[in-house]
């Protein structure tokens, strides 16, 4: 074999291996290009995510700034409201001072009249208004009123043509029989005015009803020409009508209460509490007066709104009490 043949064979071998090499490089280049395309696609995805995050962050920042602005507005409103409340508190403080002065003046008038005994304890005493507890007292109020046992010595002469009030007077001193039963001949007469009557249960035990409102209804029925109120009810608070006068107006001294007016009590703390009490005014001046009430107690003890009979009472306006006078309802006769 000549040198020419050997060179030719070497060239063929070289071309062969060169072809293999270049095919390998081409394949690697394509693989690299595929990887680059995948990286570019991933970069596009990452850029999209970054864009979404940026938009969400911008939105959250906008919302946060809006909430900050809203909170600032709320704070300003609260500051203004605080100023209004503080101004109102200052005003109430002045009103309380005026009210205390009025109370002291009326206490002096009561003392001068000699109808009460004064002792240095809380103004809101069980002797004055029903169901009063020590926590109902106005703090640091040194004045107190206690009703004595001389109520029956009051002047009981007839009051004009107020038939209902005179009827109520004739029953002063009536008591329940048996005691604390809401029963008895007269009591059952009162209850009949509102279509109620004591009854026995299946065990033979008697049950009856509180009758303060029935007593008022009975007395109103005794005067055929009573034009208002038209209420006849066993529920005391039904005697609060459109013509009723709020106790706060009476307390301010802007309204006078004539004899025969209906006076209504109710509970203060619990709006769902429907309990109440009702009676008639015999005379009223300023912060207090004399009343006739059914289903009450005669002295400082006993239940003042579910007591044992019909009694003359001395009562005071006690706006801070748990159970207090809230309204006065005029009784009007037809011409």
């Amino acid at each position: 074999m000549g040198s020419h043949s050997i060179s030719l064979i070497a060239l063929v071998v070289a071309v062969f291996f060169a072809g293999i090499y270049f095919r390998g490089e081409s394949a690697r280049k394509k693989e690299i290009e595929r990887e680059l395309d995948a990286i570019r696609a991933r970069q596009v995805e990452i850029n999209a995510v970054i864009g979404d995050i940026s938009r969400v962050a911008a939105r959250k920042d906008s919302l946060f700034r809006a909430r900050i602005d809203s909170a600032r507005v709320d704070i300003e409103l609260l500051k203004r409201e605080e100023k209004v409340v503080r101004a109102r508190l200052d005003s109430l403080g002045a009103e309380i001072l005026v009210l205390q002065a009025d109370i002291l003046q009326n206490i002096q008038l009561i003392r001068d009249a000699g109808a009460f005994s004064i002792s240095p304890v809380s103004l809101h005493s069980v002797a004055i208004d029903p169901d009063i507890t020590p926590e109902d007292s106005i703090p640091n109020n040194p004045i107190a009123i206690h009703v004595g046992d001389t109520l029956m010595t009051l002047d009981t002469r007839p009051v004009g043509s107020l038939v209902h009030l005179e009827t109520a007077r004739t029953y002063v001193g009536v008591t329940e029989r048996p005691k604390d039963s809401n029963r008895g001949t007269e009591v059952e007469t009162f209850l009949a005015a509102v279509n109620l009557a004591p009854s026995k249960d299946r065990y033979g035990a008697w049950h009856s009803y509180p009758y303060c409102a029935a007593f008022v209804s009975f007395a109103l029925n005794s005067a055929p020409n009573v034009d208002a109120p038209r209420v006849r009810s066993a529920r005391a608070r039904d005697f609060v009508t459109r013509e009723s006068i709020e106790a706060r107006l009476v307390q301010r001294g802007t309204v006078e209460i004539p004899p025969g007016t209906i006076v209504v009590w109710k509970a203060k703390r619990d709006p769902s509490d429907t309990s109440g009490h009702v009676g008639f005014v015999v005379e009223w001046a300023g912060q207090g007066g004399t009343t006739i009430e059914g289903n009450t107690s005669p002295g400082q003890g006993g239940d003042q709104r579910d007591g044992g009979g019909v009694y003359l009472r001395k009562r005071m306006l006690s706006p801070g009490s748990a159970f207090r006078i809230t309204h006065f309802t005029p009784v009007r006769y037809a011409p």
Side-chain angles (χ1 to χ4, degrees), residues 162-219:
L162 299 177
V163 176
H164 71 286
L165 186 57
E166 291 312 309
T167 298
R169 281 178 182 272
T170 63
Y171 287 92
V172 171
V174 163
T175 58
E176 299 170 10
R177 294 186 298 276
K179 184 180 178 182
D180 299 329
S181 64
N182 285 341
R183 292 168 51 209
T185 303
E186 294 89 348
V187 172
E188 291 170 27
T189 300
F190 305 151
L191 289 172
V194 290
N195 299 316
L196 293 176
S199 61
K200 287 184 178 182
D201 61 22
R202 60 180 179 175
Y203 303 106
W206 281 99
H207 296 277
S208 191
Y209 307 89
Y211 54 90
C212 62
F215 172 70
V216 169
S217 298
F218 170 79

Side-chain angles (χ1 to χ4, degrees), residues 4-39:
H4 180 72
S5 297
I6 293 171
S7 297
L8 181 60
I9 291 170
L11 179 62
V12 171
V13 170
V15 170
F16 174 77
F17 283 105
I20 292 174
Y21 173 78
F22 283 118
R23 281 197 298 275
E25 287 297 316
S26 178
R28 286 188 62 191
K29 184 177 180 181
K30 289 181 181 178
E31 181 66 26
I32 291 171
E33 287 179 352
R34 284 196 296 270
E35 291 178 359
L36 287 174
D37 290 340
I39 291 171

Side-chain angles (χ1 to χ4, degrees), residues 29-30 44-45 51 61 98-99 139 170 178 182 190 218 265 286-287 292 329 331:
K29 184 177 180 181
K30 289 181 181 178
V44 171
E45 292 177 0
D61 182 66
V98 172
L99 179 59
T170 63
N182 285 341
F190 305 151
F218 170 79
W265 286 258
Q287 306 296 311
I292 298 175
T329 302
V331 176

Side-chain angles (χ1 to χ4, degrees), residues 7 54 73 83 127 169 200 210 237 244 256 258 270 277 283:
S7 297
S54 298
V73 172
K83 290 180 181 178
R169 281 178 182 272
K200 287 184 178 182
R237 290 168 64 174
S244 295
E256 292 186 3
D270 185 359
H277 186 59
E283 58 182 1

